[in-house]
Amino acid sequence: MEATTILPILKKKLAFLSGGKDRRSGLILTIPLSSDQTSMEELSATLDYLLSIPSEKCKARGFTVIVDGRKSQWNTVKTVVLMLQNVIPPEVSLVCVVKPDEFWDKKVTHFCFWKEKDRLGFEVILVSANKLTRYIEPCQLTDDFGGSLDYDHIDWLNKRLVFEKFTKESTSLLDELSIINDADKSSSVDKDKSADCALLPSFDPETVLQTGPAWCPMEEELLAQPQVMKLLDSLREQYTRYQELCRQRNKRTQLDEIHAKVMQVVTWLQGPGSELLKTQQTIGDSMRSAQALQQKHEEIESQHSEWFAVYVELNQQIAALLSTGEEEEVAELKALQQQLSDVCYRQAAQLESRQNVLQAAQGFHTTTQELSQQLDGLLGMLCADVAPADGASIQQNLKLLEEKLQTVEAGLASLRQKGALLLEQMCSQPSWPLEETESPTTEQQDSVQHIQSVMEDMQLRKQRCEDMVDVRRLKMLQMVQLFKCEEDALQAVEWLGELLDALLKTHVRLGDDSQETRTMLDKHRKFVDVAQSTYDYGRQLLQATVVLCQSLRCTTRSSGDTLPRLNRVWKQFSVSAEERQQRLELALNFHTAAERVLQQERVEAESLDEVDSLGKTLLDRLTMPVIFPDGSEQFFGSPGDTAAAAEGVRERLLLVEERRLQLQEARLHNDGDEGEEEVLNGQDARLDVIGEELNEKEDQDEEEEDAGQRGEDLERATQDC
């Protein structure tokens, strides 16, 4: 029985030999019953086929049958077990019925297999899947029963089909080769019998011989290996005889065929082969067309390869015959060999030259396409609007633009190089025989013009892109300058704000004398000049941004709020600087008048009153805040700094008042005792007034200092929050 006759049944896997063995080295036959109704006829056919595989010696060791009834009914299991006595009673030594986890009802399992052992001829046991290892080693069980034995039913079935096919083909081939070899013995060996070579076997002997060693039988099929080896030995013997017969026949016909084959090769190469090459002179106008020409050339090469193979074969045959041939045959064979070699080498040179031209053309067209894509990418980048967020992105875009331009330049240089190579290859093609030499074809002239035209066109495109790159580079540099001006303008605003902050917080002292005050006034003017320069610098930068924006035709940028900020800070600084200058000038006038009064021997009362008036005005000025154009107020320095400056003014006022008293005492001396009492009373009254004023000023300064300290504490607490 062959597997092909019951292949649909075998595919159902009603039973199988997994290759596992029981503890007595008997083969394990597994019958996996399913929930569907099992056909006993199909199961019987499957068992008949499986039991025909092992040898008699293997069968003598007995079988262990595993009936997997976990998915089936009890009646089906019982029927299968009873059927085994009709199918394989002598070979079955043990039947293991694998019961389900929920055992069948007792009313249907009253049938006791162990009581029927004598009638059945084998032992039947009911066992659960997890206890099956008591009778069979786990390594001999498949994974269906918790074992580790690998079994692939489809793979097993395919190997059986290969084995049976090999056996059938090898037996048939062996018979055919025997008939052919025996028939050749009875016939006389002469030239008229060369037609016997048409007697060919139905199967390829090489294929059949390769199938035998390549087939790897499973363990239960190893007993068939002697049969395979015997067939292979017989087949090799007959095939060797067949090969020897063919060699003898070929030797008889080879000499007659060489001349005809040589002339056939020469005729084709000089005729159709040459015409095919002569019609292929173009190089295409694109990479796709060049690839099509390359494919066509490969087809031509393929056709030539067949004839070149014939040439190689003929050359080998001629070389073999030259060593054993007669003198006349040797001369003729040498002439044929020389003629064949000349034609083949000339044609091979033409093919190689054409191949070099096509390869150079493909390289040229590929580079042309890549360069065109690079130019398109560069042009697309140049045509796109430039709207970067900052100067760094502009620098990056400019770098990318330069890199793309360098890539284009490198691509154009490569194109020129490959174009020159292609022209050189076209001009260096070997010529045809003198009688066939013709002037350059129109296709060749058109190809040369096309190559030159492509290189010129790419040069023009590259030049146009370079011009556009120059324009774009200038625009990008202007944008970089625009961002730089905006950044510097913001920096100027910050600088001016820092100068204003320094002016209000640190420029509080008024000097202890006229010299120091004059020096501070000069430094203040220089400080204002620095601020003026910073403001002018910021204005110039903003004016430059306006010009650049107009040149770049860009919309209003974020720098539009920089000018109001700059003007606002400058106005605050101007007001603060003006106030500071007025205070210094007032202090200078005060110290100058006070020093003049203190240094002169004779002083008018009006001068003393003027000093008092200037001092009081200056003290009042120190207590006033700076009022900015937006209505906000700001004091110079801290209350402590203001109090220290006021204290210096008050000390100078006390000195002036002492000078007044000295002058009054001098006049009192001159006027006598009558006016002395009046003067003393006036002096006491004036000192009391000055003392009260000084006390009021001190109290006011202390209140301001306390208010300032509370403000600083509140601000610090706010920052902490």
Side-chain angles (χ1 to χ4, degrees):
M1 182 185 298
E2 295 182 357
T4 53
T5 59
I6 59 169
L7 185 59
I9 298 176
L10 292 177
K11 288 183 177 180
K12 293 182 180 181
K13 197 181 178 181
L14 300 177
F16 61 88
L17 291 170
S18 63
K21 296 181 181 180
D22 57 19
R23 290 187 172 91
R24 294 169 293 184
S25 298
L27 294 178
I28 297 176
L29 175 64
T30 305
I31 303 176
L33 299 178
S34 62
S35 58
D36 300 333
Q37 187 66 29
T38 303
S39 173
M40 294 297 114
E41 292 79 5
E42 293 181 350
L43 178 58
S44 178
T46 302
L47 293 175
D48 290 340
Y49 175 76
L50 293 176
L51 294 174
S52 67
I53 295 175
S55 64
E56 295 300 326
K57 182 179 179 180
C58 183
K59 292 179 182 179
R61 291 195 295 267
F63 287 87
T64 293
V65 181
I66 299 177
V67 180
D68 188 0
R70 290 177 293 179
K71 298 181 181 179
S72 181
Q73 300 295 326
W74 164 250
N75 292 332
T76 304
V77 174
K78 184 175 67 175
T79 303
V80 171
V81 173
L82 294 175
M83 184 192 69
L84 292 177
Q85 67 177 341
N86 299 324
V87 179
I88 48 173
E91 287 81 5
V92 177
S93 59
L94 177 64
V95 175
C96 296
V97 178
V98 182
K99 60 183 180 180
D101 295 336
E102 297 180 359
F103 194 58
W104 296 293
D105 296 337
K106 292 183 179 180
K107 64 181 180 179
V108 298
T109 58
H110 64 277
F111 181 78
C112 297
F113 285 117
W114 64 272
K115 294 180 180 180
E116 302 293 330
K117 179 177 180 181
D118 295 336
R119 185 171 65 85
L120 293 174
F122 48 80
E123 181 183 357
V124 181
I125 60 173
L126 294 175
V127 64
S128 57
N130 57 355
K131 295 181 180 180
L132 193 59
T133 55
R134 294 180 180 178
Y135 307 94
I136 303 172
E137 295 295 334
C139 62
Q140 302 296 325
L141 291 174
T142 61
D143 57 357
D144 295 334
F145 305 106
S148 59
L149 181 64
D150 292 333
Y151 175 75
D152 188 339
H153 187 69
I154 299 301
D155 181 64
W156 174 87
L157 188 57
N158 291 334
K159 289 181 177 180
R160 286 297 306 174
L161 293 174
V162 171
F163 167 71
E164 293 179 358
K165 179 182 177 183
F166 166 74
T167 304
K168 182 178 180 181
E169 291 181 354
S170 60
T171 304
S172 175
L173 178 61
L174 187 60
D175 295 338
E176 291 179 2
L177 291 177
S178 299
I179 293 173
I180 294 174
N181 293 333
D182 293 341
D184 184 71
K185 289 181 180 179
S186 62
S187 63
S188 59
V189 181
D190 55 26
K191 296 181 180 180
D192 296 335
K193 295 295 182 177
S194 61
D196 291 341
C197 288
L199 295 176
L200 298 175
S202 302
F203 303 102
D204 182 15
E206 293 287 349
T207 303
V208 176
L209 288 172
Q210 292 174 0
T211 304
W215 176 70
C216 298
M218 295 177 61
E219 186 175 355
E220 74 273 8
E221 297 167 337
L222 286 174
L223 297 174
Q225 190 169 6
Q227 179 185 355
V228 175
M229 300 307 298
K230 184 177 180 180
L231 282 174
L232 286 174
D233 292 340
S234 301
L235 189 58
R236 290 191 184 98
E237 181 182 358
Q238 291 294 333
Y239 182 51
T240 302
R241 293 177 57 192
Y242 174 75
Q243 286 179 317
E244 182 63 25
L245 173 63
C246 290
R247 280 194 295 270
Q248 292 176 359
R249 289 175 177 174
N250 289 335
K251 187 176 181 180
R252 290 194 301 266
T253 59
Q254 189 175 17
L255 186 60
D256 295 334
E257 293 176 352
I258 286 180
H259 187 275
K261 288 184 178 180
V262 168
M263 297 311 299
Q264 187 179 6
V265 173
V266 171
T267 301
W268 190 89
L269 292 178
Q270 291 182 341
S274 298
E275 291 300 324
L276 284 174
L277 282 176
K278 290 178 182 179
T279 56
Q280 297 294 316
Q281 297 295 327
T282 60
I283 61 170
D285 56 358
S286 64
M287 185 173 66
R288 182 175 298 178
S289 61
Q291 290 175 347
L293 290 173
Q294 176 65 32
Q295 184 176 1
K296 179 64 177 176
H297 181 73
E298 289 175 356
E299 295 175 359
I300 295 175
E301 280 188 334
S302 178
Q303 297 178 25
H304 279 76
S305 297
E306 297 176 1
W307 293 100
F308 289 154
V310 175
Y311 157 71
V312 173
E313 182 182 355
L314 287 174
N315 205 24
Q316 293 175 351
Q317 293 176 2
I318 291 173
L321 292 176
L322 285 174
S323 61
T324 59
E326 299 295 334
E327 184 176 353
E328 294 180 359
E329 295 175 352
V330 169
E332 182 181 358
L333 287 173
K334 286 186 176 181
L336 289 173
Q337 187 182 38
Q338 186 63 40
Q339 181 183 8
L340 182 62
S341 298
D342 292 343
V343 174
C344 288
Y345 279 113
R346 182 168 59 247
Q347 200 75 0
Q350 292 289 350
L351 285 170
E352 183 180 5
S353 176
R354 176 62 179 168
Q355 176 66 26
N356 293 336
V357 170
L358 289 177
Q359 289 180 351
Q362 281 190 344
F364 177 78
H365 291 309
T366 301
T367 305
T368 300
Q369 182 175 345
E370 293 175 353
L371 179 58
S372 180
Q373 293 174 353
Q374 293 168 359
L375 287 169
D376 292 339
L378 180 59
L379 184 61
M381 185 176 179
L382 291 171
C383 294
D385 292 335
V386 181
D390 51 27
S393 60
I394 295 179
Q395 294 284 3
Q396 185 176 1
N397 290 339
L398 184 59
K399 180 180 179 181
L400 179 61
L401 187 65
E402 297 290 350
E403 290 176 354
K404 284 185 174 293
L405 181 60
Q406 292 176 1
T407 303
V408 168
E409 292 176 350
L412 183 60
S414 177
L415 181 66
R416 293 195 188 100
Q417 181 181 1
K418 293 184 178 180
L421 176 62
L422 178 56
L423 292 174
E424 181 182 355
Q425 292 286 351
M426 292 177 63
C427 296
S428 61
Q429 295 185 77
S431 59
W432 295 98
L434 185 61
E435 61 273 16
E436 301 177 1
T437 302
E438 299 177 358
S439 59
T441 61
T442 305
E443 291 83 358
Q444 291 177 331
Q445 295 177 353
D446 293 342
S447 298
V448 172
Q449 293 177 359
H450 173 71
I451 295 170
Q452 296 173 347
S453 175
V454 168
M455 291 192 292
E456 292 174 357
D457 179 61
M458 290 299 171
Q459 176 64 35
L460 291 176
R461 290 181 61 186
K462 183 251 184 183
Q463 186 62 45
R464 288 195 295 268
C465 286
E466 277 186 341
D467 296 339
M468 296 179 67
V469 166
D470 292 338
V471 176
R472 176 56 61 88
R473 185 187 296 110
L474 177 60
K475 183 176 181 180
M476 285 185 170
L477 292 176
Q478 288 180 339
M479 294 190 72
V480 171
Q481 187 177 4
L482 172 62
F483 280 111
K484 181 63 177 174
C485 289
E486 292 176 349
E487 294 175 0
D488 292 348
L490 291 174
Q491 185 65 48
V493 173
E494 294 179 3
W495 288 344
L496 197 58
E498 293 174 357
L499 292 175
L500 173 61
D501 190 59
L503 176 63
L504 291 173
K505 290 183 178 181
T506 62
H507 293 207
V508 181
R509 292 186 67 254
L510 300 176
D512 297 333
D513 52 32
S514 61
Q515 183 64 33
E516 184 179 3
T517 303
R518 187 175 290 103
T519 302
M520 295 178 69
L521 186 61
D522 293 338
K523 291 182 178 180
H524 175 72
R525 292 192 181 98
K526 294 179 180 179
F527 184 78
V528 172
D529 292 340
V530 172
Q532 180 69 48
S533 300
T534 304
Y535 171 71
D536 295 339
Y537 176 64
R539 291 279 298 185
Q540 292 173 1
L541 290 173
L542 292 175
Q543 290 176 358
T545 59
V546 173
V547 175
L548 289 173
C549 286
Q550 293 175 352
S551 175
L552 294 171
R553 299 179 181 178
C554 60
T555 57
T556 304
R557 300 188 53 79
S558 60
S559 60
D561 63 344
T562 307
L563 181 60
R565 290 176 56 194
L566 179 65
N567 289 332
R568 182 172 61 255
V569 176
W570 173 246
K571 289 179 181 178
Q572 292 177 352
F573 182 86
S574 298
V575 172
S576 302
E578 181 65 26
E579 176 63 23
R580 173 64 176 169
Q581 183 169 352
Q582 290 179 3
R583 291 186 181 186
L584 288 174
E585 291 176 350
L586 184 59
L588 179 61
N589 294 334
F590 168 72
H591 286 302
T592 302
E595 290 171 357
R596 185 172 57 250
V597 168
L598 294 175
Q599 293 174 0
Q600 292 179 355
E601 294 182 358
R602 298 181 60 83
V603 180
E604 298 295 334
E606 291 79 3
S607 298
L608 295 173
D609 294 338
E610 180 184 0
V611 173
D612 288 340
S613 177
L614 289 173
K616 292 179 180 180
T617 302
L618 182 57
L619 290 174
D620 293 337
R621 197 66 174 262
L622 289 175
T623 61
M624 296 174 59
V626 180
I627 301 176
F628 296 135
D630 58 358
S632 60
E633 297 179 354
Q634 180 70 40
F635 286 93
F636 277 95
S638 64
D641 297 335
T642 304
E647 184 64 24
V649 175
R650 293 191 186 99
E651 291 178 355
R652 183 56 65 94
L653 284 175
L654 288 176
L655 294 176
V656 172
E657 192 59 32
E658 290 177 358
R659 178 61 175 166
R660 181 194 298 272
L661 293 177
Q662 292 175 359
L663 294 176
Q664 288 179 355
E665 289 178 356
R667 283 199 300 272
L668 182 60
H669 247 336
N670 297 330
D671 295 340
D673 296 335
E674 183 178 352
E676 181 178 357
E677 184 177 357
E678 182 179 355
V679 171
L680 291 175
N681 292 332
Q683 289 177 350
D684 293 338
R686 185 166 184 80
L687 288 174
D688 292 338
V689 172
I690 292 175
E692 291 177 359
E693 291 179 352
L694 291 176
N695 291 332
E696 291 177 0
K697 290 292 182 180
E698 290 178 356
D699 294 339
Q700 184 177 359
D701 292 341
E702 290 178 357
E703 292 177 359
E704 291 178 354
E705 184 175 358
D706 293 339
Q709 184 65 33
R710 288 195 298 272
E712 290 178 358
D713 295 340
L714 179 60
E715 182 179 359
R716 190 179 303 107
T718 304
Q719 292 177 353
D720 294 339
C721 293

